[in-house]
Amino acid sequence: MPHIIDIRSDTVTQPTPAMRRAMAEAPVGDDVYGDDPTVNRLEALAAQKAGKEAALFVPSGTMGNQLAIMTHTRRGDAVVCGRNSHIFTHEVGAAAVLSGVLLDPVDSKDDVIYPDLLEGAVREEDIHCPPTTTLCIENALACGRVVPLDVMEQTYAAAKSHGLNVHMDGARLFNAAVALNVPAPELTRYTDSVMFCLSKGLCAPVGSILAGSREFVARARKNRKLLGGGMRQCGILAAAGIIALEEMTCRLAQDHDNAAWLRQRLATIPGLHVKDQGIQINMVFFTLDHPARVVEALPAKLLERGIKINGVSAGELRFVTSNDVTREDLAVVADCLEALLKEG
Ligand SMILES: *Cc1c(COP(=O)(O)O)cnc(C)c1O
C-alpha cells in the first residue's frame, strides 16, 4: 500500500504493534459476569488515571456520554450543555431519545461555559419549567481550545450551588491535561463524571471510559446493559486500552508540537488564515480566501497525492495531527496544499 497521510481526525489512528500483540495474548472472560481480568485491569487503571473511584469500559464515547446523562437524570429533566458541544450537535439527539431529557444549549463566544452563562441557563423553579439537574461541559473543546482550571473550578462551584451533577465530555481529556501541564485528576476534580476516548489520539482500535463515584459507575453499568453495551470477552479490546493509557498518553505533546509547527507553516501560505487564538491541542483550523471552486476541489486533489483531508465545515478546514503522521508528512501536506492553491 502506498503511504497515505491521513489528517482528517485522530480517530483514524491505527493500533500500535504493541497493542496488537497485547490483544492477541490478553487473558479474557465474560465481562458481564465481571470475569474478564483484562477489562478489570483496564477499569482499575482508568479510574486511577482519571482520579475517580471507579470506571466503566464502553464501546464508544457517544455511549459514555449518553450513559452519563441517563445515569445523572430522570426523564423530563433539563440538561445544560454547550451549543457546539458534541453532546448537542453530534450524538443524533440521543439524550432526547434514550433519556427523555431536554438539552438546554448555551451560546458562548469561545464555547466555554462560564459561571454567568450557566446562571443564565439554569431554569427557575416554576410550574412551567423542567428541573435543571445536570451540566455537561467539554475539555478539550471540539474547537481545539482548552478550558483553564480556574474557569472549571468556578463553573463547578456555580453548578453545585444549584445542586447540578457535572459531567465532562473529555473525549480528549489527556490532550487537555497535557496542554494545561497538569495530571488529568486536576481537571476531573471539578466534575462528577468524565468520559474519555481510548480510540482517538491514544490509538486504541475501540473503546472509551466513563468514570465517576463507585455508586455512579454501578448504576451506569446497569444502564450500559440496558443499552445493549454489555460485552463479553472484550478484554481483547481492553488490552489495547491499557497500552493507550500507560504508553500513548505520554506522547500527546508531540502531536501538539506538530500541530503548532503546522500552524506556523500554513500561516506562510498566501490567502490562508490560520485560526490560532487559544488552540492548544492536536488541531489546526484555517480559512481560505480562494474561490469556493478551488476550496471544494482540495480533498479530491490532495487524495490524488496520497493525502486525506475532510472538506470545509462551517467555512473552515481542520487538520488533525496524531501518532500516525510525522513532521515530514506534515511538511508534504503543506507543500502540496501551497502548490494546489497557487495553481488555483
Ligand atoms: C469523538 C468525540 C466524542 C464521541 O466519541 P465516539 O467514540 O466517536 O462516539 C464525544 N465528544 C467529543 C468532544 C468527541 O470529539
Side-chain angles (χ1 to χ4, degrees), residues 28-81:
V28 297
D30 187 336
D31 181 52
V32 175
Y33 283 101
D35 274 357
D36 191 304
T38 309
V39 172
N40 294 343
R41 234 181 97 208
L42 170 66
E43 290 182 344
L45 175 67
Q48 183 208 328
K49 292 268 182 195
K52 294 291 182 196
E53 281 176 9
L56 182 69
F57 184 45
V58 293
S60 70
T62 300
M63 189 186 281
N65 281 335
Q66 293 305 323
L67 279 176
I69 292 172
M70 182 176 275
T71 307
H72 282 308
T73 61
R74 300 204 301 180
R75 294 180 69 79
D77 285 359
V79 173
V80 176
C81 60

Side-chain angles (χ1 to χ4, degrees), residues 32-301:
V32 175
Y33 283 101
D35 274 357
D36 191 304
T38 309
V39 172
N40 294 343
R41 234 181 97 208
L42 170 66
E43 290 182 344
L45 175 67
Q48 183 208 328
K49 292 268 182 195
K52 294 291 182 196
E53 281 176 9
L56 182 69
F57 184 45
V58 293
S60 70
T62 300
M63 189 186 281
N65 281 335
Q66 293 305 323
L67 279 176
I69 292 172
M70 182 176 275
T71 307
H72 282 308
T73 61
R74 300 204 301 180
R75 294 180 69 79
D77 285 359
V79 173
V80 176
C81 60
R83 166 80 59 191
N84 296 319
S85 66
H86 197 277
I87 285 172
F88 190 65
T89 59
H90 283 108
E91 299 191 3
V92 209
V97 178
L98 301 174
S99 300
V101 297
L102 177 72
L103 291 180
D104 268 334
V106 170
D107 290 299
S108 167
K109 59 181 186 333
D110 57 6
D111 294 343
V112 177
I113 302 182
Y114 294 95
D116 60 320
L117 297 179
L118 174 62
E119 294 293 344
V122 174
R123 292 181 177 246
E124 325 171 21
E125 223 162 281
D126 181 292
I127 195 167
H128 301 91
C129 297
T132 302
T133 63
T134 300
L135 166 66
C136 293
I137 57 171
E138 228 174 66
N139 208 5
L141 291 156
C143 64
R145 288 194 192 84
V146 172
V147 184
L149 287 176
D150 58 334
V151 175
M152 284 199 68
E153 181 180 6
Q154 290 156 18
T155 301
Y156 186 68
K160 286 299 156 187
S161 76
H162 292 281
L164 308 187
N165 306 302
V166 178
H167 171 69
M168 181 159 91
D169 174 347
R172 296 185 182 84
L173 169 67
F174 295 98
N175 295 85
V178 164
L180 291 169
N181 201 20
V182 296
E186 290 294 309
L187 284 85
T188 59
R189 59 194 285 210
Y190 305 119
T191 68
D192 299 310
S193 60
V194 59
M195 182 285 288
F196 59 86
C197 294
L198 301 167
S199 57
K200 292 191 170 168
L202 300 183
C203 301
V206 177
S208 293
I209 295 289
L210 176 62
S213 70
R214 241 183 290 284
E215 179 270 338
F216 170 84
V217 168
R219 287 191 294 121
R221 192 178 293 279
K222 187 151 182 161
N223 285 333
R224 184 186 67 174
K225 192 78 183 81
L226 183 154
L227 293 181
M231 298 176 285
R232 302 294 178 179
Q233 286 72 20
C234 58
I236 298 271
L237 300 172
I242 290 169
I243 292 174
L245 286 177
E246 282 181 340
E247 292 178 17
M248 305 308 281
T249 50
C250 306
R251 57 156 304 287
L252 291 174
Q254 212 173 307
D255 296 343
H256 297 191
D257 289 348
N258 280 341
W261 179 87
L262 185 60
R263 261 178 239 125
Q264 284 198 341
R265 169 67 182 91
L266 293 182
T268 66
I269 299 177
L272 187 158
H273 307 284
V274 175
K275 202 169 102 181
D276 61 6
Q277 270 304 339
I279 312 275
Q280 291 163 277
I281 61 167
N282 59 335
M283 296 181 179
V284 179
F285 293 88
F286 60 93
T287 58
L288 292 165
D289 290 340
H290 304 71
R293 165 187 59 79
V294 173
V295 178
E296 280 159 21
L298 283 176
K301 288 198 170 169

Side-chain angles (χ1 to χ4, degrees), residues 308-320:
K308 288 191 180 178
I309 69 164
N310 280 325
V312 177
S313 168
E316 291 181 336
L317 284 154
R318 183 188 78 162
F319 291 172
V320 183

